[in-house]
Amino acid sequence: MNLQELIDQQRPGYSLDQIFYRSPEIYQIEVDRIMSRNWCFAGHVSEIPNKGDYFLFKIGEETVIVIRGRGDEIHALINVCRHRGSQICTKEKGSVNVLTCPYHAWAYDFDGTLKVAQHMGPDFDASQHHLHRAQIEVLGGMIYVCLAKKPPSLEPAKQDLQPVFDMFGFDNMKLAAKRRYHFKANWKLAVENYHECYHCAPSHPEYAAMHTLKLGPDEIEKRQAHMREAMGSCGLKTIEFDHLDDRQPSHIQGYAYSRTALFEGIKTGSQDGQPLAPLLGDLKDFDQGGSDLSIGPFSFFLIYSDHMVGYRFLPEDVDNCTCDIYWMVRGDAVEGRDYDVEKLTWLWHITTLADEDIIVNNQKGVNSRFYQPGPYSQMEHWTQRSMAWYLREMSQF
């Protein structure tokens, strides 16, 4: 298999050849060129409020311990003991006084420093056996992790998106709910599906009743007027960035932000279109819009005026992936008084269950010997861009 020849023969404007969705060899190359080289949303700072609190973040075969340090800093440590390789943390989340390997009791501090290794002899140098670290950045309370020694720069994203973080009060959000969904499908099919709303009208009647993205580009633009007129008085600024694929991917992480109108009368993504939680940040009212924020190739956020929904797609292997959804509200909002978790999660839970059926069915068709790449529609522009970016990344050596 010559990967570059496969990439070069891809027809522009068409979906990928079958081999990209089914080949274990290509998947292993993706691990090195896509998963390990890009920043990925690992979780939210509110998940680990106290020193010693941790959660595990898994991408491919690698597991990272994300832990709050003794000085309130956050560390990302590879979950592999430096003795004989056992995993140190076996529970998905928890709180510890020290990181102790369950195999031979080697113990590490929260920054990965080896503190205890008994019976190792006089020549043993503990300083050479600290835990391996992953790169970590916190953007507006969102924890990003990268496995590369020299990850893409997030500095442009930090600078450009700071007004967005300030506007919605990102530093004053908390995780209200989190759910995991397992898809029996290649991870790229899940990402492709997320990037387009060509399927929204026939597949997601609940979503389509609220969001204008189910319409074509020209019709969406006509619907923007009522939101734009309200933004200023509601405390929102007109901000838009699209740097997903126009920079060197090996040097700068791609990102994008935009805001799109909901249908008139719809304030947020709820069953009746009415508010679910207190307004975010210093917002004064609902502009009847929702923002799309992307940072990296795996994580996407939808920001309503009263809550934010985070989507993360991660591969498990060539045939399976996970979808994790995070619902975030104001940090001072009180569950049961200011928001109801079932109502908060309703829209995107039922939408994701429907997407699971769509994506798994898509994989079944792609597996057929009769599958051939088909042409993208005008409403699949972002999907086409995403896969073009993927092919460029896979071409990088």
Side-chain angles (χ1 to χ4, degrees):
M1 179 192 69
N2 187 309
L3 176 61
Q4 194 58 51
E5 288 182 4
L6 291 173
I7 292 172
D8 292 341
Q9 71 186 22
Q10 287 298 297
R11 186 175 178 183
Y14 279 69
S15 57
L16 299 178
D17 285 336
Q18 184 186 62
I19 192 171
F20 286 97
Y21 300 110
R22 302 202 65 191
S23 167
E25 291 79 15
I26 286 181
Y27 175 77
Q28 288 304 315
I29 297 172
E30 291 173 350
V31 170
D32 293 330
R33 300 186 186 179
I34 304 290
M35 302 164 208
S36 298
R37 292 202 315 194
N38 287 277
W39 291 98
C40 186
F41 174 63
H44 194 262
V45 294
S46 63
E47 297 180 76
I48 46 174
N50 305 307
K51 64 181 180 180
D53 290 350
Y54 77 89
F55 62 81
L56 299 183
F57 168 63
K58 190 173 188 296
I59 181 165
E61 294 297 319
E62 303 301 336
T63 303
V64 179
I65 305 166
V66 180
I67 187 167
R68 176 81 66 172
R70 301 189 186 280
D72 205 38
E73 71 282 3
I74 298 175
H75 303 285
L77 310 171
I78 304 300
N79 192 21
V80 176
C81 182
R82 295 299 308 280
H83 175 216
R84 283 174 51 194
S86 173
Q87 288 199 331
I88 297 165
C89 294
T90 57
K91 295 181 179 179
E92 287 294 313
K93 60 181 180 180
S95 185
V96 294
N97 294 319
V98 66
L99 291 165
T100 303
C101 178
Y103 199 179
H104 299 96
W106 280 32
Y108 304 85
D109 206 350
F110 301 152
D111 63 356
T113 302
L114 178 62
K115 306 296 289 185
V116 177
Q118 299 186 49
H119 311 300
M120 294 306 297
D123 297 330
F124 177 72
D125 184 355
S127 68
Q128 300 301 308
H129 295 84
H130 302 324
L131 292 181
H132 294 298
R133 301 174 64 92
Q135 304 295 324
I136 188 168
E137 291 275 6
V138 179
L139 287 76
M142 301 182 296
I143 303 169
Y144 274 79
V145 168
C146 183
L147 299 178
K149 291 183 178 180
K150 294 183 178 180
S153 174
L154 281 171
E155 287 306 313
K158 288 181 181 179
Q159 296 176 19
D160 285 346
L161 294 173
Q162 190 59 52
V164 175
F165 298 156
D166 293 341
M167 185 165 57
F168 292 106
F170 269 56
D171 287 328
N172 184 36
M173 285 192 195
K174 71 174 183 179
L175 183 67
K178 177 185 175 182
R179 291 186 179 180
R180 170 163 290 181
Y181 305 81
H182 293 271
F183 299 163
K184 293 182 178 180
N186 183 270
W187 68 274
K188 294 186 292 299
L189 292 177
V191 171
E192 285 182 274
N193 179 75
Y194 183 88
H195 273 303
E196 52 95 349
C197 212
Y198 194 28
H199 74 284
C200 291
S203 302
H204 302 306
E206 302 87 359
Y207 171 91
M210 307 174 196
H211 294 76
T212 60
L213 281 175
K214 74 169 185 179
L215 307 172
D218 294 338
E219 189 63 27
I220 291 174
E221 184 58 33
K222 295 177 184 177
R223 301 277 184 164
Q224 294 284 79
H226 73 269
M227 180 193 72
R228 288 174 177 157
E229 290 174 2
M231 287 179 70
S233 62
C234 293
L236 287 143
K237 299 176 182 178
T238 301
I239 302 172
E240 190 161 333
F241 299 107
D242 180 4
H243 298 310
L244 284 178
D245 59 5
D246 59 354
R247 298 169 181 264
Q248 284 292 329
S250 59
H251 298 128
I252 297 176
Q253 186 66 73
Y255 60 98
Y257 172 85
S258 62
R259 194 161 180 85
T260 306
L262 305 172
F263 284 111
E264 291 192 57
I266 303 297
K267 294 183 177 181
T268 191
S270 63
Q271 195 160 5
D272 59 2
Q274 296 307 300
L276 289 167
L279 288 163
L280 296 174
D282 295 324
L283 299 187
K284 301 176 178 64
D285 204 348
F286 292 83
D287 68 331
Q288 300 178 58
S291 299
D292 287 295
L293 168 64
S294 301
I295 304 175
F298 305 112
S299 45
F300 314 97
F301 302 87
L302 175 57
I303 314 168
Y304 298 106
S305 295
D306 61 349
H307 71 286
M308 179 167 74
V309 184
Y311 258 77
R312 181 181 70 198
F313 300 98
L314 289 176
E316 294 183 303
D317 54 41
V318 67
D319 297 317
N320 298 275
C321 65
T322 59
C323 170
D324 291 315
I325 306 184
Y326 296 72
W327 286 267
M328 284 163 270
V329 297
R330 288 181 65 102
D332 56 4
V334 178
E335 182 182 349
R337 185 191 71 187
D338 297 319
Y339 65 93
D340 179 285
V341 169
E342 290 302 312
K343 292 180 179 179
L344 183 73
T345 60
W346 171 81
L347 176 60
W348 289 99
H349 174 60
I350 61 170
T351 300
T352 304
L353 291 179
D355 275 335
E356 180 180 4
D357 289 340
I358 293 166
I359 294 163
V360 171
N361 188 52
N362 192 182
Q363 181 71 69
K364 291 177 180 178
V366 167
N367 290 346
S368 169
R369 62 191 175 93
F370 292 100
Y371 166 78
Q372 292 179 328
Y376 288 119
S377 73
Q378 291 180 330
M379 291 184 67
E380 295 169 293
H381 168 70
W382 287 99
T383 298
Q384 183 175 346
R385 284 185 62 183
S386 176
M387 291 302 102
W389 173 90
Y390 162 81
L391 292 172
R392 288 197 302 274
E393 284 280 288
M394 290 292 281
S395 295
Q396 299 287 324
F397 291 95

